[in-house]
Structure formats: structure tokens, C-alpha cells
Amino acid sequence: MDAEWGLGMRLTGVKNFPRQMMLGAGRDESLVYEMGRLIAEQCKLLGVHINFAPDVDINNNPENPVINFRSFGEDRQWVSRLGIAYMKGRQDNGVMASAKHFPGHGDVHTDSHLDLPLISKTKEELQAMELYPFKQLADSGVASIMVAHLSLPALEPEKGLPSTLSYNIITKLLKG
């Protein structure tokens, strides 16, 4: 289930937790862990075994039409720390986490639900910013990582091939 801020994100009659941007502003890892734990409890009541969260995209484009309040913020280290806390809150309590949207969906101008966003950064720029939280969560034991539907010429030279279908991005970069 995709329940970044709890089951209320998808179901009526369930109280929502705060959005990630608000939690990011508080910079309180223990609070984010507790929210992860409580969302795990909600999930288990419904038999949900995996929650497609946390969103560890860095909010580095204020014109992004889809990430903004779903991100913990613009600081890669705090996004990572809070993403790990949220992931551990869930996984320590029996619900798999899925870090998303690999390799980073924060700096786009297009909603990937509607079209294929283009990220024209160099590989070095992507390594320094967008990829950073995913490496931190992978090193901390995240159970899964969701791949974004993006065009990243620096990582996939075949024109128009989205990251979701890219051997270079999924096998070489993510799995490697």
C-alpha cells in the first residue's frame, strides 16, 4: 500500500499523520521513528505487509508538481536521517519499507504520473545529491527501493528509455 502519511492517505475514516515536509522541519528522528511504528501498526491491522514509503526525494526544486510536501526537505543529510528513522520504525515492527523514488524525483518540472520527466544533471551531481539518501537507506537495511519513471541521460544514454526499464540504472547502479 502507498501510505506515506498513514492509511488515511488512501482510506477514508482514518486519521492522517503529518506530511513529511512538516516532520522534516521538526528534525526529530525519534518522532519520525514513532510515526513509522504507528503506521506499521495500522498496516498490520489490515494485513498490509509493505508500505511504499518513505519518500526520500530531496526537495531541491520548488516548482516540482508532485514531490514538495512529500519530501522531508532540501538537506540531503536530514532527508536521509529522517528516512532511516521512518524506515526503521516500520521495519522494526514487521512492515517492509520501500525507499522511493530512485534515483531521485525531487528536481523535476513534470509529474511522472502524466509524462516522462527529464533530469539533465551530470552523474556527479546526481551522486552528490539525489542518490545520497538511497545509498544511506540501502546501507541501513531498507527492504526495497522503488524506481521512478524518469529520463536521466547521464545514467541512461539510450534516448527516451525511462529509468524503470533501464539496465544501466536498475541493474548496474541500483543493484550494483
PDB file of all heavy atoms in Angstrom, residues 71-84:
ATOM      1  N   SER A  71       8.331  15.330   0.697  1.00  0.00           N
ATOM      2  CA  SER A  71       9.753  15.224   0.997  1.00  0.00           C
ATOM      3  C   SER A  71      10.030  15.689   2.422  1.00  0.00           C
ATOM      4  O   SER A  71       9.355  16.589   2.932  1.00  0.00           O
ATOM      5  CB  SER A  71      10.547  16.097   0.019  1.00  0.00           C
ATOM      6  OG  SER A  71      11.898  16.201   0.422  1.00  0.00           O
ATOM      7  N   PHE A  72      11.054  15.107   3.045  1.00  0.00           N
ATOM      8  CA  PHE A  72      11.480  15.556   4.369  1.00  0.00           C
ATOM      9  C   PHE A  72      12.230  16.887   4.302  1.00  0.00           C
ATOM     10  O   PHE A  72      12.481  17.491   5.321  1.00  0.00           O
ATOM     11  CB  PHE A  72      12.373  14.512   5.042  1.00  0.00           C
ATOM     12  CG  PHE A  72      11.629  13.297   5.543  1.00  0.00           C
ATOM     13  CD1 PHE A  72      11.851  12.055   4.971  1.00  0.00           C
ATOM     14  CD2 PHE A  72      10.733  13.390   6.592  1.00  0.00           C
ATOM     15  CE1 PHE A  72      11.191  10.930   5.442  1.00  0.00           C
ATOM     16  CE2 PHE A  72      10.064  12.273   7.076  1.00  0.00           C
ATOM     17  CZ  PHE A  72      10.293  11.038   6.486  1.00  0.00           C
ATOM     18  N   GLY A  73      12.611  17.349   3.096  1.00  0.00           N
ATOM     19  CA  GLY A  73      13.270  18.643   2.997  1.00  0.00           C
ATOM     20  C   GLY A  73      14.306  18.727   1.901  1.00  0.00           C
ATOM     21  O   GLY A  73      14.401  17.860   1.033  1.00  0.00           O
ATOM     22  N   GLU A  74      15.113  19.790   1.986  1.00  0.00           N
ATOM     23  CA  GLU A  74      16.098  20.071   0.946  1.00  0.00           C
ATOM     24  C   GLU A  74      17.523  19.705   1.360  1.00  0.00           C
ATOM     25  O   GLU A  74      18.443  19.806   0.553  1.00  0.00           O
ATOM     26  CB  GLU A  74      16.036  21.546   0.539  1.00  0.00           C
ATOM     27  CG  GLU A  74      16.433  22.527   1.625  1.00  0.00           C
ATOM     28  CD  GLU A  74      15.360  22.779   2.677  1.00  0.00           C
ATOM     29  OE1 GLU A  74      14.185  22.456   2.463  1.00  0.00           O
ATOM     30  OE2 GLU A  74      15.717  23.292   3.758  1.00  0.00           O
ATOM     31  N   ASP A  75      17.725  19.261   2.579  1.00  0.00           N
ATOM     32  CA  ASP A  75      19.037  18.887   3.087  1.00  0.00           C
ATOM     33  C   ASP A  75      19.209  17.373   2.971  1.00  0.00           C
ATOM     34  O   ASP A  75      18.506  16.600   3.624  1.00  0.00           O
ATOM     35  CB  ASP A  75      19.152  19.333   4.550  1.00  0.00           C
ATOM     36  CG  ASP A  75      20.490  19.026   5.166  1.00  0.00           C
ATOM     37  OD1 ASP A  75      20.903  17.842   5.148  1.00  0.00           O
ATOM     38  OD2 ASP A  75      21.126  19.958   5.689  1.00  0.00           O
ATOM     39  N   ARG A  76      20.149  16.931   2.153  1.00  0.00           N
ATOM     40  CA  ARG A  76      20.296  15.504   1.867  1.00  0.00           C
ATOM     41  C   ARG A  76      20.583  14.671   3.119  1.00  0.00           C
ATOM     42  O   ARG A  76      20.141  13.529   3.223  1.00  0.00           O
ATOM     43  CB  ARG A  76      21.386  15.280   0.811  1.00  0.00           C
ATOM     44  CG  ARG A  76      22.783  15.533   1.311  1.00  0.00           C
ATOM     45  CD  ARG A  76      23.855  15.375   0.262  1.00  0.00           C
ATOM     46  NE  ARG A  76      25.149  15.375   0.937  1.00  0.00           N
ATOM     47  CZ  ARG A  76      26.197  14.744   0.485  1.00  0.00           C
ATOM     48  NH1 ARG A  76      26.138  14.084  -0.652  1.00  0.00           N
ATOM     49  NH2 ARG A  76      27.327  14.782   1.153  1.00  0.00           N
ATOM     50  N   GLN A  77      21.311  15.253   4.073  1.00  0.00           N
ATOM     51  CA  GLN A  77      21.625  14.504   5.280  1.00  0.00           C
ATOM     52  C   GLN A  77      20.393  14.333   6.170  1.00  0.00           C
ATOM     53  O   GLN A  77      20.167  13.253   6.722  1.00  0.00           O
ATOM     54  CB  GLN A  77      22.776  15.170   6.019  1.00  0.00           C
ATOM     55  CG  GLN A  77      24.061  15.028   5.237  1.00  0.00           C
ATOM     56  CD  GLN A  77      25.199  15.847   5.772  1.00  0.00           C
ATOM     57  OE1 GLN A  77      25.008  16.882   6.403  1.00  0.00           O
ATOM     58  NE2 GLN A  77      26.414  15.402   5.510  1.00  0.00           N
ATOM     59  N   TRP A  78      19.576  15.395   6.303  1.00  0.00           N
ATOM     60  CA  TRP A  78      18.370  15.274   7.109  1.00  0.00           C
ATOM     61  C   TRP A  78      17.324  14.404   6.429  1.00  0.00           C
ATOM     62  O   TRP A  78      16.620  13.635   7.081  1.00  0.00           O
ATOM     63  CB  TRP A  78      17.805  16.644   7.489  1.00  0.00           C
ATOM     64  CG  TRP A  78      18.426  17.128   8.754  1.00  0.00           C
ATOM     65  CD1 TRP A  78      19.353  18.106   8.893  1.00  0.00           C
ATOM     66  CD2 TRP A  78      18.198  16.597  10.071  1.00  0.00           C
ATOM     67  NE1 TRP A  78      19.728  18.215  10.217  1.00  0.00           N
ATOM     68  CE2 TRP A  78      19.027  17.307  10.954  1.00  0.00           C
ATOM     69  CE3 TRP A  78      17.390  15.585  10.581  1.00  0.00           C
ATOM     70  CZ2 TRP A  78      19.063  17.048  12.322  1.00  0.00           C
ATOM     71  CZ3 TRP A  78      17.426  15.330  11.943  1.00  0.00           C
ATOM     72  CH2 TRP A  78      18.255  16.048  12.794  1.00  0.00           C
ATOM     73  N   VAL A  79      17.216  14.501   5.111  1.00  0.00           N
ATOM     74  CA  VAL A  79      16.300  13.609   4.386  1.00  0.00           C
ATOM     75  C   VAL A  79      16.702  12.163   4.658  1.00  0.00           C
ATOM     76  O   VAL A  79      15.851  11.312   4.939  1.00  0.00           O
ATOM     77  CB  VAL A  79      16.305  13.925   2.873  1.00  0.00           C
ATOM     78  CG1 VAL A  79      15.594  12.833   2.085  1.00  0.00           C
ATOM     79  CG2 VAL A  79      15.653  15.283   2.606  1.00  0.00           C
ATOM     80  N   SER A  80      17.981  11.885   4.631  1.00  0.00           N
ATOM     81  CA  SER A  80      18.480  10.533   4.890  1.00  0.00           C
ATOM     82  C   SER A  80      18.211  10.099   6.318  1.00  0.00           C
ATOM     83  O   SER A  80      17.707   8.989   6.558  1.00  0.00           O
ATOM     84  CB  SER A  80      19.983  10.462   4.601  1.00  0.00           C
ATOM     85  OG  SER A  80      20.254  10.813   3.274  1.00  0.00           O
ATOM     86  N   ARG A  81      18.545  10.939   7.273  1.00  0.00           N
ATOM     87  CA  ARG A  81      18.371  10.579   8.685  1.00  0.00           C
ATOM     88  C   ARG A  81      16.904  10.325   9.025  1.00  0.00           C
ATOM     89  O   ARG A  81      16.581   9.346   9.720  1.00  0.00           O
ATOM     90  CB  ARG A  81      18.940  11.681   9.582  1.00  0.00           C
ATOM     91  CG  ARG A  81      20.458  11.730   9.539  1.00  0.00           C
ATOM     92  CD  ARG A  81      21.024  12.904  10.260  1.00  0.00           C
ATOM     93  NE  ARG A  81      20.765  12.826  11.696  1.00  0.00           N
ATOM     94  CZ  ARG A  81      21.250  13.677  12.584  1.00  0.00           C
ATOM     95  NH1 ARG A  81      22.039  14.670  12.174  1.00  0.00           N
ATOM     96  NH2 ARG A  81      20.982  13.554  13.850  1.00  0.00           N
ATOM     97  N   LEU A  82      16.024  11.193   8.532  1.00  0.00           N
ATOM     98  CA  LEU A  82      14.601  11.014   8.825  1.00  0.00           C
ATOM     99  C   LEU A  82      14.016   9.845   8.044  1.00  0.00           C
ATOM    100  O   LEU A  82      13.160   9.118   8.545  1.00  0.00           O
ATOM    101  CB  LEU A  82      13.843  12.310   8.551  1.00  0.00           C
ATOM    102  CG  LEU A  82      14.268  13.486   9.448  1.00  0.00           C
ATOM    103  CD1 LEU A  82      13.546  14.762   9.046  1.00  0.00           C
ATOM    104  CD2 LEU A  82      14.040  13.177  10.925  1.00  0.00           C
ATOM    105  N   GLY A  83      14.506   9.637   6.825  1.00  0.00           N
ATOM    106  CA  GLY A  83      14.073   8.475   6.054  1.00  0.00           C
ATOM    107  C   GLY A  83      14.456   7.175   6.737  1.00  0.00           C
ATOM    108  O   GLY A  83      13.668   6.218   6.784  1.00  0.00           O
ATOM    109  N   ILE A  84      15.651   7.117   7.297  1.00  0.00           N
ATOM    110  CA  ILE A  84      16.102   5.930   8.030  1.00  0.00           C
ATOM    111  C   ILE A  84      15.250   5.725   9.278  1.00  0.00           C
ATOM    112  O   ILE A  84      14.831   4.602   9.580  1.00  0.00           O
ATOM    113  CB  ILE A  84      17.600   6.041   8.377  1.00  0.00           C
ATOM    114  CG1 ILE A  84      18.438   5.918   7.097  1.00  0.00           C
ATOM    115  CG2 ILE A  84      18.012   4.985   9.412  1.00  0.00           C
ATOM    116  CD1 ILE A  84      19.904   6.318   7.259  1.00  0.00           C
TER     117      ILE A  84
END
